[in-house]
Amino acid sequence: MTEQDIGGQAIQVTAVNVGLSAVVGYVLFKIITRPKPTSYGRLWIGWFAGIATLANFPRVLLHQFDLNAVGTWLFPILFLSPVIWLLGWAYGKIRGT
């Protein structure tokens, strides 16, 4: 088995583990809680942070923690989270929970 095969297999296993974790966490969240508007805000921030990390963090690792790469990863999480929370809160209010 070559190094490329091992690396490809590791990526596949990681992707499956992350996907399964997300599905299990989401199902448990839906079973356990009935969200309030503030819970929707936190939930939206959580999803947003997770998606932003999945989209941008590999670039951080590829460029070995270059300042620009770290900034493109952290900027959306830090500065857009209040906007995302407000959108989630408004969605919870409109939904009537």
Side-chain angles (χ1 to χ4, degrees), residues 11 30 33-34 36 43-44 57 64:
I11 290 173
K30 287 303 234 178
T33 63
R34 177 161 170 88
K36 298 175 184 171
L43 178 66
W44 282 36
F57 195 68
Q64 298 177 351

Side-chain angles (χ1 to χ4, degrees), residues 10 13 25 28 39 43 46-48 50 58 66-67 71-72 82-83 86 95:
V13 168
L28 287 175
S39 295
L43 178 66
W47 278 105
F48 176 71
D66 178 41
L67 186 59
T72 59
V83 174
L86 284 173
R95 190 160 182 217

Side-chain angles (χ1 to χ4, degrees), residues 66-79:
D66 178 41
L67 186 59
N68 290 331
V70 171
T72 59
W73 168 50
L74 288 179
F75 177 79
I77 294 173
L78 295 177
F79 293 104

Side-chain angles (χ1 to χ4, degrees), residues 31-55:
I31 291 172
I32 293 170
T33 63
R34 177 161 170 88
K36 298 175 184 171
T38 55
S39 295
Y40 276 105
R42 286 182 298 201
L43 178 66
W44 282 36
I45 286 176
W47 278 105
F48 176 71
I51 290 169
T53 299
L54 287 174

